[in-house]
C-alpha cells in the first residue's frame, strides 16, 4: 500500500515529558485523515514534526515515500499547512500576506486571487489583516496553505474560530479537494463531530499515544457494539446467560451484551427462546462516536 | 532563493516606518552638531578648532552610540515582525533552507545600516559645507568615520539578531541591547575586549583599523554561531 505519510515510532520528549510517544501514523493516498485527541494530546507536536519544524527525539517521518530528515525541501514543495493559530503580518493586506508566501513557492501571480476566491476573501483582499475577524484570519491561513497546489494538506484545527456556516464551507472545500484532485488531507481536531463529517480514516491520540487508527467505518462499528435485550423474567434470564458463560450485564430489567458478533447474539437469542423466555425487544444501543472517543481517551488515560 | 527571500523581507517592512528610522539615526547625529555649532561657533573660532578635522571628530563621537542604538532597535523590529503572530512556523514550513532565512534577515539589516551610514556621510558633508570651514574637505575621513564603526559593530549586530530570533520573549534581547547602548556610550572607559567598545574605533594602540578587523572577524563568527543555533532549534 502506498502511504503519503508514514511515521515510524515517532517520539518527542520535552524535558521529562513524553509529548508524543512512538507514533506509527499511516495515511494512504487520497484519504482525509482525522487526527483526533483532547487538548494537550500531542497533535500539534506531531504536526510540527511532520513539517520539519521540530526535530523528533527518535523515530522517523516519511512523506511521499521520502525521508523527511533527508529531503525536507523537496517534500515541503508539495505540502500546504496550517499550524495552530493562524500566522499573518497584521500590517500587510491579505493579498500582500499571500504574496510573501507565493514568492517563495514561485507560484503564478493569479494563484493568489484563486485562493482568495476559494476561501471567500476576495472582497477584503486589499484590506489590512489587522482588522480581520478570527474566522477571516483562519480563512487566510487556509488560503495560504493552498497557494502551491499541494499534494498533501496538513491542517491543525482549521475550523477554529469559524462560524457554523464557515465550518460547513471549509468542510465542503476539503471534501472537494480530496475528491477532485486526489489531495491527501490530515486534519486535526479535538471534536469528533467535526472529523466525523469529513474524515475517511481516523487516528486517535491521547497523552502522546496513538490509541486507535483505522477507517471511520471501523470506528463507527466499534461504537455500535452494545446490544440491549428486553425479556420477561429478565433477572432469571440474565442468571441463565451468566451460567452458560455469556458475558452479559444487567441493569433496570435490561440485559446488555457488548463486544459480540452477530452469530454470538443469534446464539444468545436462541438460548433464551429454547428456555421458554419471551423476547420483547432486541435493540442496538447507538453509542455516539463522541462517546466512543471519550471512552477511548479515558481508557487510555486510565492505564 | 536568497534574492526572493530578500524581496519578501523588504515587502514585510512596508508601512512599518523603518525607512524613517533609517533616516532619523544619521539625521539625529548631525543635528546634535547643528546645536553644538549653533551654540559654540564663537568658542571653536576662539580655540582655533573651527575646521573640518575637528568637525568630523565631533560627529564621530556620537556615531557609535547612535549606531548601537540603531542596531538594537532595527533587530528587535525585524524579529517582532515574525514574533508578533509567530510567522516563523509558517515561513519555516515553506520549502526553504533555514540558513537562507537567517542570512536574508541579516542581509536586510546590514543593507538598512549601510543606507544609514551613507546618509550619515552625506549629512555630515552637507552640514560641514554649510559651516564653511576654511580648509579642504576630508572626504576620506568622512567616509571612514561613517563606515568603520559599522564594520566594528558587526559582532553586536550578530548578537542582537541571534538572541532576538531564537528567543520569543523580547525582554532579554532588549535588556542586552540597552546594556550595550550604555556600554557604547561609555566606550572610552571600558576594556578593549568588549565588543560594544569597538565602534568607537578607540584602542590602546590608537589604530582604528584594528577595530574594523576585529569587528569583521568576530562578527562573522557570531553570525555563524547564531545561524547554526537558529537552524537546530525547534520552532514553536
Ligand atoms: N515547546 C514545548 N515545550 C515544552 N512542552 C511542550 C511544548 N510544546 C508542547 N508541549 C507539551 O506537549 C504536550 C502536547 O502538546 P500539543 O500542543 O502537541 O497538544 P495538542 O494535542 O495540539 O493540544 P491542543 O488540542 O490543546 O492544541 C502538552 O503537554 C504540552 O504542554
Ligand atoms: Mg494543538
Amino acid at each position: 500500500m502506498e502511504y503519503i505519510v508514514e511515521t515510524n515510532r515517532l517520539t518527542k520528549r520535552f524535558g521529562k515529558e513524553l509529548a508524543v510517544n512512538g507514533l506509527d501514523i499511516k495515511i494512504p493516498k487520497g484519504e482525509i485523515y482525522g487526527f483526533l485527541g483532547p487538548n494537550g494530546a500531542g497533535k500539534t507536536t506531531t504536526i510540527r514534526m511532520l513539517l520539519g519544524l521540530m526535530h523528533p527525539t527518535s523515530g522517523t517521518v516519511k512523506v511521499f515515500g521520502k525521508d523527511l530528515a533527508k529531503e525536507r525541501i523537496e517534500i515541503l514543495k508539495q505540502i500546504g499547512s496550517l499550524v495552530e493559530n493562524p500566522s499573518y503580518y497584521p500590517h500587510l493586506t491579505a493579498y500582500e500576506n499571500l504574496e510573501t508566501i507565493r514568492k517563495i513557492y514561485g507560484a503564478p501571480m493569479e494563484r493568489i486571487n484563486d485562493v482568495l476566491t476559494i476561501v471567500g476573501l476576495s472582497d477584503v483582499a486589499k484590506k489590512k489583516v489587522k482588522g480581520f475577524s478570527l474566522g477571516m484570519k483562519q480563512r487566510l491561513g487556509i488560503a495560504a496553505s493552498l497557494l502551491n497546489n499541494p499534494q498533501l494538506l496538513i491542517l491543525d484545527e482549521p475550523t477554529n474560530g469559524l462560524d457554523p456556516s464557515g465550518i460547513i464551507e471549509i468542510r465542503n472545500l476539503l471534501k472537494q479537494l480530496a475528491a477532485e484532485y486526489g489531495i491527501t488531507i490530515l486534519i486535526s481536531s479535538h471534536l469528533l463531530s467535526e472529523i466525523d463529517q469529513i474524515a475517511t480514516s481516523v487516528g486517535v491520540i491521547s497523552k502522546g499515544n496513538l490509541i486507535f487508527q483505522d477507517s471511520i467505518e471501523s470506528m463507527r462499528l466499534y461504537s455500535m457494539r452494545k446490544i440491549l435485550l428486553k425479556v420477561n423474567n429478565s433477572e432469571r434470564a440474565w442468571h441463565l446467560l451468566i451460567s452458560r458463560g455469556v458475558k452479559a450485564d444487567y441493569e433496570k430489567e435490561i440485559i446488555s451484551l457488548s463486544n459480540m458478533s452477530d452469530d454470538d447474539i443469534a446464539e444468545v437469542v436462541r438460548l433464551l427462546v429454547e428456555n421458554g423466555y419471551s423476547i420483547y425487544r432486541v435493540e442496538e444501543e447507538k453509542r455516539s462516536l463522541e462517546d466512543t472517543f471519550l471512552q477511548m481517551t479515558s481508557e487510555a488515560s486510565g492505564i | 532563493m536568497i534574492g526572493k527571500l530578500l524581496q519578501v523581507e523588504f515587502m514585510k517592512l512596508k508601512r512599518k516606518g523603518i525607512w524613517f528610522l533609517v533616516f532619523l539615526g544619521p539625521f539625529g547625529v548631525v543635528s546634535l552638531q547643528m546645536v553644538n555649532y549653533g551654540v559654540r561657533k564663537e568658542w571653536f573660532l576662539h580655540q582655533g578648532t573651527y575646521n573640518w578635522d575637528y568637525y568630523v571628530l565631533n560627529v564621530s563621537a556620537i556615531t557609535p552610540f547612535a549606531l548601537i542604538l540603531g542596531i538594537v532597535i532595527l533587530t528587535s523590529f525585524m524579529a517582532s515582525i515574525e514574533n508578533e503572530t509567530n510567522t516563523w512556523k509558517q515561513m519555516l514550513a515553506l520549502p526553504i533552507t533555514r540558513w537562507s532565512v537567517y542570512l536574508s534577515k541579516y542581509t536586510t539589516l546590514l543593507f538598512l545600516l549601510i543606507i544609514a551610514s551613507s546618509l550619515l556621510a552625506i549629512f555630515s558633508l552637507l552640514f560641514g559645507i554649510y559651516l564653511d570651514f576654511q580648509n579642504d574637505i576630508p572626504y576620506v575621513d568622512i567616509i571612514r568615520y561613517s563606515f568603520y564603526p559599522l564594520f566594528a559593530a558587526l559582532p553586536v549586530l550578530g548578537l542582537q539578531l541571534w538572541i532576538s530570533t531564537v528567543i520569543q520573549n523580547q525582554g532579554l534581547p532588549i535588556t542586552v541591547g540597552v546594556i550595550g547602548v550604555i556600554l557604547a556610550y561609555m566606550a572610552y572607559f571600558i576594556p578593549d575586549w568588549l565588543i560594544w567598545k569597538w565602534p568607537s574605533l578607540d584602542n590602546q594602540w590608537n589604530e582604528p583599523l584594528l577595530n574594523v578587523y576585529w569587528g569583521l572577524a568576530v562578527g562573522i563568527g557570531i553570525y555563524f554561531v547564531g545561524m547554526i543555533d537558529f537552524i537546530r532549534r525547534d520552532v514553536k
Side-chain angles (χ1 to χ4, degrees):
Chain A
M1 186 151 201
E2 187 194 350
Y3 293 114
I4 294 296
V5 177
E6 190 175 4
T7 69
N8 180 23
R9 312 297 309 150
L10 188 64
T11 302
K12 182 71 187 181
R13 189 185 283 279
F14 295 113
K16 280 194 180 140
E17 189 197 349
L18 261 177
V20 171
N21 185 11
L23 296 201
D24 291 320
I25 292 178
K26 291 187 169 56
I27 309 181
K29 187 168 165 47
E31 294 282 316
I32 301 182
Y33 184 95
F35 192 35
L36 265 175
N39 292 133
K43 302 180 295 292
T44 302
T45 306
T46 305
I47 286 174
R48 285 200 178 100
M49 289 193 282
L50 294 182
L51 294 168
L53 291 172
M54 277 188 173
H55 310 283
T57 307
S58 63
T60 56
V61 176
K62 267 188 173 178
V63 185
F64 311 125
K66 296 173 186 157
D67 184 352
L68 183 72
K70 296 200 186 95
E71 298 179 72
R72 183 176 136 264
I73 305 246
E74 278 312 303
I75 291 170
L76 289 179
K77 281 181 187 165
Q78 307 286 330
I79 298 187
S81 66
L82 175 60
V83 182
E84 249 177 0
N85 319 315
S87 295
Y88 52 90
Y89 302 106
H91 62 289
L92 299 182
T93 66
Y95 189 95
E96 289 165 342
N97 264 279
L98 293 175
E99 176 66 5
T100 64
I101 298 172
R102 182 205 69 82
K103 264 222 150 68
I104 291 171
Y105 280 129
M109 296 280 262
E110 310 86 72
R111 187 67 191 153
I112 295 182
N113 289 323
D114 292 352
V115 296
L116 281 170
T117 309
I118 289 175
V119 299
L121 287 180
S122 308
D123 294 345
V124 290
K126 298 262 145 51
K127 294 225 166 77
K128 282 190 209 165
V129 178
K130 195 183 293 182
F132 280 20
S133 68
L134 178 57
M136 290 161 82
K137 289 170 184 163
Q138 197 76 27
R139 283 162 196 262
L140 182 66
I142 294 171
S145 73
L146 298 173
L147 272 173
N148 60 332
N149 279 309
Q151 284 303 303
L152 168 64
L153 257 184
I154 297 184
L155 305 173
D156 189 13
E157 315 219 15
T159 50
N160 223 344
L162 293 183
D163 53 23
S165 71
I167 293 179
I168 294 171
E169 261 174 56
I170 296 300
R171 191 185 294 152
N172 289 339
L173 167 67
L174 296 181
K175 277 185 184 166
Q176 191 192 340
L177 289 171
E180 284 179 20
Y181 304 103
I183 295 180
T184 310
I185 302 175
L186 183 155
I187 173 172
S188 85
S189 178
H190 57 275
L191 294 174
L192 181 85
S193 50
E194 215 166 54
I195 297 297
D196 186 23
Q197 314 264 352
I198 164 171
T200 52
S201 52
V202 190
V204 179
I205 184 174
S206 172
K207 304 227 157 128
N209 294 289
L210 196 64
I211 54 175
F212 180 89
Q213 177 171 250
D214 208 331
S215 67
I216 190 103
E217 287 80 22
S218 321
M219 184 145 174
R220 290 208 180 95
L221 282 181
Y222 186 93
S223 55
M224 282 189 229
R225 285 177 317 186
K226 207 163 181 185
I227 299 293
L228 305 179
L229 294 174
K230 201 167 176 205
V231 301
N232 68 329
N233 227 330
S234 50
E235 187 156 7
R236 273 183 51 198
W238 177 56
H239 284 299
L240 169 73
L241 293 180
I242 299 283
S243 69
R244 298 294 173 92
V246 178
K247 276 174 97 184
D249 291 318
Y250 178 76
E251 197 182 347
K252 292 190 192 144
E253 315 271 293
I254 305 274
I255 298 170
S256 63
L257 308 164
S258 26
N259 292 323
M260 285 199 160
S261 68
D262 290 353
D263 286 345
D264 290 340
I265 289 158
E267 186 59 40
V268 167
V269 171
R270 190 175 307 122
L271 188 68
L272 290 172
V273 173
E274 281 171 359
N275 283 278
Y277 290 95
S278 309
I279 299 182
Y280 302 143
R281 280 189 185 77
V282 180
E283 285 174 341
E284 190 173 67
E285 187 191 54
K286 299 262 183 207
R287 253 196 310 171
S288 70
L289 274 176
E290 204 71 45
D291 289 339
T292 313
F293 171 52
L294 279 178
Q295 192 196 329
M296 277 179 183
T297 51
S298 64
E299 273 171 11
S301 58
I303 307 168
Chain B
M1 186 38 89
I2 289 291
K4 279 189 204 163
L5 274 169
L6 283 176
Q7 283 178 28
V8 171
E9 286 306 319
F10 281 103
M11 271 177 62
K12 293 183 207 164
L13 294 180
K14 240 180 172 174
R15 299 188 203 101
K16 273 287 187 184
I18 209 130
W19 295 105
F20 177 68
L21 274 178
V22 166
F23 163 84
L24 193 65
F27 184 76
V29 169
V30 175
S31 23
L32 280 177
Q33 293 315 313
M34 294 181 183
V35 176
N36 195 9
Y37 279 83
V39 177
R40 302 203 299 163
K41 180 170 177 183
E42 292 306 317
W43 191 77
F44 286 126
L45 281 169
H46 186 252
Q47 295 283 310
T49 50
Y50 195 75
N51 58 35
W52 269 106
D53 311 287
Y54 205 75
Y55 164 74
V56 170
L57 279 182
N58 273 332
V59 174
S60 70
I62 307 160
T63 308
F65 167 75
L67 181 64
I68 300 293
L69 185 63
I71 286 175
V72 171
I73 294 175
L74 287 181
T75 41
S76 56
F77 226 91
M78 290 282 285
S80 75
I81 290 176
E82 310 297 345
N83 288 338
E84 192 170 359
T85 66
N86 190 12
T87 32
W88 290 116
K89 63 177 157 65
Q90 188 174 57
M91 194 181 2
L92 297 176
L94 297 174
I96 30 172
T97 54
R98 289 206 193 172
W99 66 261
S100 63
V101 170
Y102 197 81
L103 178 61
S104 67
K105 291 267 171 214
Y106 190 86
T107 312
T108 307
L109 282 165
L110 199 56
F111 180 81
L112 295 173
L113 290 166
I114 288 174
I115 300 282
S117 301
S118 311
L119 288 176
L120 177 65
I122 294 168
F123 294 160
S124 315
L125 179 69
L126 291 180
F127 186 59
I129 291 173
Y130 168 81
L131 287 176
D132 198 21
F133 300 116
Q134 296 307 307
N135 57 335
D136 288 344
I137 302 175
Y139 289 104
V140 175
D141 273 351
I142 291 176
I143 289 172
R144 196 181 277 159
Y145 280 104
S146 299
F147 288 94
Y148 278 10
L150 175 57
F151 295 120
L154 290 182
V156 179
L157 176 63
L159 183 70
Q160 291 295 139
L161 179 64
W162 176 21
I163 54 183
S164 59
T165 46
V166 299
I167 296 173
Q168 207 103 122
N169 174 357
Q170 288 298 290
L172 182 69
I174 299 279
T175 309
V176 172
V178 168
I179 292 171
V181 170
I182 295 170
L183 290 175
Y185 186 69
M186 308 192 311
Y188 292 95
F189 308 104
I190 62 176
D192 278 350
W193 55 267
L194 277 174
I195 54 174
W196 295 276
K197 176 174 188 145
W198 300 354
S200 71
L201 306 182
D202 177 51
N203 58 50
Q204 56 178 308
W205 298 278
N206 271 323
E207 180 45 83
L209 261 183
L210 273 181
N211 295 32
V212 172
Y213 298 145
W214 295 338
L216 283 171
V218 176
I220 290 169
I222 293 184
Y223 169 78
F224 275 102
V225 171
M227 185 177 79
I228 288 163
D229 188 38
F230 179 76
I231 290 171
R232 289 164 51 148
R233 276 198 193 232
D234 281 344
V235 182
K236 285 184 186 147

